[in-house]
Every structure is written in C-alpha cells, then in structure tokens.
Amino acid sequence: MRKIALITGATSGIGEACARRFAQGGYDVVITGRNTEKLAMLKAQLEVDGSEVVALPFDVRDRQAATAAVNSLKGRWADVDVLVNNAGLALGLEKEYEGDIDEWETMVDTNIKGLLTMTRLIVPHMVERNSGHVINIGSVAGDAAYAGGNVYCATKAAVKALSDGLRIDVADTCVRVTNVKPGLVETNFSVTRFRGDRNRADNVYQGVKPLTGDDIADVCFYAASAPPHVQIAEVLVLATHQANGSVISRNNQREETPSK
C-alpha cells in the first residue's frame, strides 16, 4: 500500500515542490493551503501523474478549521506517514521597536502555533501506530538573528526547539523528527516579506544562484527515505555562496544581508 504524506502550505514554493516530490516518489498526498483554486490545480496535476490526492483548503492559523479538515480524513487517509510542516512566512524587515504587531501575530500564529496545531492533530496517530515521520521546515534564520529579522528569526528558533522537543518526546517510539533549515531559496517568500514589492524581492537573489523549492523537497524526501533506524535530525541547506543567514557573496563580492 502506498504511503501518505501531508504537506501544509502546498500551493507554492517549498510546499508545492514537496507535494510533487513525494508524489513522484510513490506517495499519495494530502495537500493543504489557503488558496482553493491553486489546491485544485495541483491536485489535478498530481493525479494525472498517478497519485491519489486529497486537497484540504484551510489556514493553519485557524485551529477549528484545521481540526475539522484533519478529522475529515477517513480510512487509510487518516494514517499519515509523513507530515511536512511547511506553512510559514516572514513579513517586513523593520527594527523590532518599529515592527507591525499585526504582522508579528501573523508570523507567530502561522510559523509556531500552526505547526503546533498540525503536530498535535497528526502525531498521536503516528505514536499509536509506532510509525511516522515529522519534517518541520525551519530556517537558517533560526540559528542566529539578523538585522530586521527579529520576530521571524524567533519563530524559526522556536521551530528548532519544538523539533528537538518532539524528538525527545517520541524517542521511545519509531516516529522520526527532522528539522530542515533552508537558506536562500527563490520562492514567493521575499515577495510576501516585502508585501508584494517584486522588484525589492528580486534584489534578494541578485548576483547569486539561490536554492529552489525542488532542492529543499529533495532533502525532505531523502530524510523520509532513510532506513527506519536512521533519523536525519537536522539539515542546514545553503546556496554555495551563502555562509550563514546574513553573509552572502554576490558576484564574488561578500556582503552581509538578510536572506531567509
């Protein structure tokens, strides 16, 4: 029987790439996201390639909607083998004392509380079956703060702590936990951070070859495909000319600038 992967935030970027990679790798997939139209399009594309797909449109910030959606999974669909907690975002690069409180709440509610909600809904069934894998999409930003990153960096540091804590909690089971920490990835991430300013977002990737969503999806699939006794606990994935969350060499000129 084919395994099942559930991917949050599957309508674009890393989430969409993960849905495609796991489907290509022989999984049936549950895809979630806020954009119903994009979910339907992705579902149709994946089904053409031979996967069975369930699309669940909801916002991970809405605990009641998330609970109803997960509870709607019946039969074998309720037995999720791989949970990819991908839904997340950054908003703004203002100094912490000048930040937008509403945007802070959006980041915290999505990046931390949304991840916790999905973990709480899915992992108990994994523990009952003594099988499963949680892959949390963290960030290099969770390793150290950078200028303007403040709250976003804090949310991704929380993803690391929550991943480590969950790994401790399930150590007496066969459930595995992986924290994948991307660096500079060219997706809609920067467009969202800069509130739709595509020119400003494009400048983030100037002079350097960034990672793609497919690159991160490959890492996630590799972790899920490791032998049962192998747990890939944490992976930091950077572009070749990126040293950490802020040091990037653009056109062979080193500079310090926030990336992801």
Side-chain angles (χ1 to χ4, degrees):
M1 183 178 295
R2 289 164 66 99
K3 291 185 177 182
I4 294 170
L6 188 156
I7 300 101
T8 66
T11 54
S12 65
I14 293 172
E16 179 181 350
C18 283
R20 296 185 186 281
R21 183 65 186 90
F22 277 87
Q24 292 167 1
Y27 281 72
D28 291 330
V29 294
V30 180
I31 52 176
T32 86
R34 294 176 296 168
N35 190 314
T36 302
E37 182 177 347
K38 286 185 177 180
L39 277 180
M41 291 175 58
L42 179 59
K43 180 178 187 295
Q45 293 168 2
L46 296 178
E47 287 176 337
V48 167
D49 294 333
S51 290
E52 292 187 36
V53 183
V54 171
L56 299 177
F58 67 90
D59 188 332
V60 295
R61 293 178 297 171
D62 187 335
R63 189 193 309 167
Q64 290 186 336
T67 301
V70 171
N71 288 343
S72 74
L73 297 172
K74 304 300 181 184
R76 73 183 188 90
W77 289 101
D79 294 334
V80 174
D81 296 285
V82 178
L83 167 63
V84 182
N85 276 318
N86 163 75
L89 77 166
L91 293 169
L93 273 173
E94 288 75 22
K95 296 179 185 297
E96 189 170 325
Y97 60 84
E98 298 175 336
D100 185 308
I101 294 177
D102 289 335
E103 290 184 341
W104 293 351
E105 289 185 347
T106 297
M107 286 187 280
V108 170
D109 288 349
T110 305
N111 301 358
I112 301 176
K113 293 166 68 175
L115 179 147
L116 279 170
T117 294
M118 295 305 299
T119 299
R120 183 64 180 85
L121 291 171
I122 299 297
V123 174
H125 302 290
M126 292 181 173
V127 172
E128 288 174 7
R129 301 193 316 272
N130 197 33
S131 175
H133 196 153
V134 179
I135 300 176
N136 291 329
I137 304 299
S139 172
V140 63
D143 288 347
Y146 53 67
N150 42 74
V151 174
Y152 173 70
C153 293
T155 67
K156 289 304 183 177
V159 171
K160 173 177 171 51
L162 292 171
S163 300
D164 292 346
L166 180 60
R167 195 177 304 111
I168 293 168
D169 291 338
V170 299
D172 59 344
T173 76
C174 293
V175 177
R176 301 182 293 184
V177 180
T178 300
N179 181 20
V180 176
K181 305 185 299 183
L184 193 67
V185 184
E186 188 167 12
T187 64
N188 284 331
F189 176 87
S190 291
V191 176
T192 300
R193 160 167 269 172
F194 296 125
R195 308 177 186 92
D197 187 339
R198 187 164 292 278
N199 288 333
R200 191 178 178 191
D202 288 344
N203 287 335
V204 173
Y205 310 108
Q206 292 297 314
V208 64
K209 184 176 178 60
L211 302 169
T212 67
D214 290 339
D215 295 326
I216 306 307
D218 283 339
V219 173
C220 293
F221 189 79
Y222 169 80
S225 302
H229 70 288
V230 177
Q231 180 171 214
I232 309 297
E234 187 170 287
V235 185
L236 175 63
V237 192
L238 303 175
T240 298
H241 294 292
Q242 179 176 14
N244 56 30
S246 59
V247 177
I248 299 173
S249 176
R250 300 178 188 274
N251 296 322
N252 298 320
Q253 297 295 315
R254 170 176 162 157
E255 68 175 65
E256 295 193 10
T257 182
S259 57
K260 191 183 191 306

